[in-house]
Amino acid sequence: MTAAALPAPSPATTGEQPGVRLARSRRNAELSLLLVAMALVAAYGAMVEAKVLDTITADFWMPAAALTAVFLGLHLVIRFLAPFADPALLPAVALLNGIGVGFLRRLDLGNAAPAEREDLAIFAGTGGRQLAWTLASVVLAAGLLALMRDHRSVSRYAYTLGLAGIVLVMIPAVLPGRFSEINGAKLWIRVGGFSIQPGEFAKLALLVFFAYYLVRKREVLSLASRRFLGIDFPRGRDLGPVVVVWLISVLVLVFEKDLGTSLLYFGMFVVTLYIATERVSWLLIGLVLFFGGVYLAYVLGEVVGGPFANFYLRAQIWLDPFADPYEDGYQLVQGLLALGTGGLFGAGPGGGQPGLLPEVQNDFIFAGIGEEIGLFGLSALLVVYLLIVERGLRAALAVRDSFGKLLAGGLAFTLGLQVFVIVGGISKLIPLTGQTTPFLSAGGSSLMANWLLIAVLLRISDGARRSVTGAGGKAARPSGGPPEQLHGAPTEVIKP
């Protein structure tokens, strides 16, 4: 069976309006949106300098120009290697990345001596390092697009990637604290002056394995044993995969001392399982298992201590940060005060006091930015994140093969869940976590992993649009070989 013989998906399957041609390239629209995003980044940099320096220097535009050159390079790569990719993904991510670099440069300006501020080089300080990491991340994303011409080809390495993901998750847990622990969470590998957060790359590897595994096992996992309150629950013997992933997430919570990472791994598996089976019961089972494990860890932390003590302390800080606002609760209290000070419209770019926030360049960058752009500005940033997630889910609905649907849906949800975890932590909705805000926070690991995530979504969206209609309106075969030559690439469609 060739790809040309595959029936074109219906509008209900793709999520498109009837009569809309999906195979039209939208690269010019992407270019226009990208230039608008970079203009906003340049304007943000100018406003920061006007507030911090009381003047706008002649080279205020240089960081934005450097970012524009980098993103235009990726745009050209997409134009030639993924011409039918979603046109909104790159501009949205570029805007977030640019705002992150601009805010980190704002921190560098605030920390520099007054006499040196106007002469601060664009590659100096934390902002300069983040600009360099952006260049490396975009090059890595372009390389992935060049190597992975068809998203289904990665399913050949699903078990290898699954094993690699588990190893990457567990390495920080087994290392001594001096090599892996920062601010109480064991999420890092630190050697000399070099550090990397392997969990950021593990989530991508594990998602590939989850998607491949669930494509092969979804029929079994969809079977129901009994119906309760209108919900079909799975058979008891089919709970094995969920229990295994739950145990891994609990081990991450206990030994790596981070609720966010634990929630991220377990959440992305349960949601991918739900997408594969369409069984609400899996979501309910996942919620009961996760919150049950969290409550058990809290009780053991109070009674036993030991490896559970760190989570118990974080939970206590979350419940009442003002009980000890100058010690354990200092970071959360300062974050809440920063958000409150910002109000609706903020103090203006460069007008806040982010230096009072511990780890403002990492965990609490959202609070630092919020003090200066206010609730309205933060809402706009969240809308941009929501747009990225929506476009990822749109690609999942449009792509033909089940593996692509699960992978795109899982990637989009994981990005959204990571934003929820960090924003929920700084706003006291959930206990603080060690997660970084995607594309905003300083650090190479998170930035590189998330740009790889975007590259995969670009490839899947390109395949989805390319496979619907090609030149002359005929069915087109995605690059990378016929479907039957790609292991684990079934062509049946999961109903959205």
Side-chain angles (χ1 to χ4, degrees):
M1 181 178 182
T2 63
L6 290 174
S10 67
T13 299
T14 62
E16 294 293 324
Q17 296 295 328
V20 175
R21 287 178 59 86
L22 292 181
R24 183 177 58 175
S25 175
R26 302 296 302 276
R27 302 280 62 82
N28 290 334
E30 178 184 80
L31 177 60
S32 300
L33 291 172
L34 182 59
L35 293 177
V36 171
M38 291 299 98
L40 292 175
V41 172
Y44 177 80
M47 288 187 286
V48 165
E49 287 198 356
K51 196 75 171 182
V52 177
L53 305 178
D54 290 328
T55 185
I56 299 178
T57 62
D59 56 356
F60 80 93
W61 53 271
M62 291 183 65
L67 287 170
T68 302
V70 171
F71 295 138
L72 283 178
L74 182 58
H75 164 75
L76 292 176
V77 172
I78 296 173
R79 183 176 285 270
F80 288 103
L81 297 183
F84 300 106
D86 193 297
L89 282 174
L90 175 59
V93 175
L95 177 61
L96 293 173
N97 201 157
I99 294 296
V101 171
F103 181 75
L104 293 173
R105 179 170 173 80
R106 177 259 179 276
L107 296 178
D108 295 332
L109 290 172
N111 294 331
E116 301 175 356
R117 289 176 178 175
E118 293 189 18
D119 299 324
L120 188 68
I122 64 171
F123 285 101
T126 306
R129 287 194 297 272
Q130 189 72 353
L131 185 57
W133 278 120
T134 299
L135 173 60
S137 302
V138 170
V139 170
L140 194 63
L144 182 62
L145 284 173
L147 289 174
M148 186 177 64
R149 296 303 182 93
D150 191 307
H151 63 271
R152 295 172 295 181
S153 61
V154 76
S155 65
R156 297 167 176 165
Y157 313 102
Y159 286 105
T160 302
L161 290 172
L163 178 61
I166 293 176
V167 171
L168 289 174
V169 169
M170 292 305 175
I171 286 177
V174 300
L175 287 177
R178 67 180 182 275
F179 295 117
S180 63
E181 187 169 339
I182 297 179
N183 297 327
K186 298 185 65 175
L187 301 174
W188 300 83
I189 299 176
R190 303 168 60 195
V191 180
F194 175 79
S195 62
I196 184 174
Q197 194 171 356
E200 292 289 344
F201 301 96
K203 67 184 181 184
L204 301 179
L206 289 173
L207 270 172
V208 172
F209 170 71
F210 291 161
Y212 177 80
Y213 173 81
L214 292 173
V215 164
R216 298 174 64 88
K217 301 294 183 182
R218 65 182 183 135
E219 297 296 336
V220 174
L221 295 172
S222 298
L223 297 177
S225 63
R226 63 183 61 190
R227 190 175 182 86
F228 179 69
L229 296 178
I231 301 175
D232 293 322
F233 283 86
R235 301 176 301 177
R237 61 178 176 271
D238 296 330
L239 294 176
V242 175
V243 173
V244 170
V245 178
W246 173 73
L247 288 174
I248 293 175
S249 68
V250 171
L251 291 175
V252 169
L253 174 65
V254 173
F255 293 103
E256 297 192 357
K257 306 174 185 178
D258 186 65
L259 174 65
T261 303
S262 174
L263 175 59
L264 189 65
Y265 294 150
F266 188 64
M268 67 186 190
F269 176 75
V270 172
V271 168
T272 307
L273 178 57
Y274 167 70
I275 296 173
T277 63
E278 302 181 46
R279 296 289 188 191
V280 178
S281 56
W282 284 117
L283 293 179
L284 298 178
I285 292 170
L287 289 173
V288 170
L289 285 174
F290 183 79
F291 286 110
V294 167
Y295 180 73
L296 179 62
Y298 175 79
V299 172
L300 291 175
E302 182 180 16
V303 177
V304 179
F308 304 96
N310 182 271
F311 175 71
Y312 175 76
L313 176 61
R314 290 201 176 204
Q316 289 294 103
I317 295 172
W318 168 61
L319 292 172
D320 189 7
F322 292 93
D324 191 5
Y326 299 106
E327 294 293 338
D328 293 333
Y330 182 77
Q331 186 180 32
L332 181 55
V333 167
Q334 291 299 312
L336 294 173
L337 291 176
L339 292 173
T341 303
L344 291 177
F345 301 101
Q353 294 181 307
L356 299 177
L357 273 170
E359 298 297 328
V360 66
Q361 76 278 9
N362 295 319
D363 299 10
F364 271 68
I365 194 170
F366 209 74
I369 294 177
E371 183 184 9
E372 299 190 343
I373 66 175
L375 178 62
F376 285 174
L378 288 183
S379 298
L381 290 181
L382 290 176
V383 168
V384 176
Y385 280 116
L386 183 62
L387 174 65
I388 298 172
V389 174
E390 185 271 335
R391 303 307 286 194
L393 294 176
R394 186 184 182 92
L397 288 173
V399 73
R400 286 174 172 234
D401 63 286
S402 299
F403 175 75
K405 288 182 179 292
L406 294 182
L407 184 57
L411 290 171
F413 172 80
T414 299
L415 181 65
L417 180 60
Q418 186 169 350
V419 174
F420 165 78
V421 164
I422 186 62
V423 175
I426 66 173
S427 61
K428 199 180 171 293
L429 180 63
I430 62 175
L432 281 175
T433 69
Q435 291 293 309
T436 56
T437 309
F439 306 109
L440 289 178
S441 297
S445 300
S446 175
L447 194 60
M448 294 173 73
N450 284 305
W451 269 108
L452 289 175
L453 183 152
I454 295 300
V456 177
L457 287 180
L458 286 169
R459 175 55 69 203
I460 293 175
S461 65
D462 173 69
R465 289 164 174 258
R466 185 193 298 267
S467 64
V468 175
T469 56
K474 296 181 180 179
R477 186 174 66 197
S479 58
E484 64 267 24
Q485 294 179 357
L486 295 173
H487 183 52
T491 57
E492 72 272 11
V493 176
I494 302 177
K495 295 186 295 181

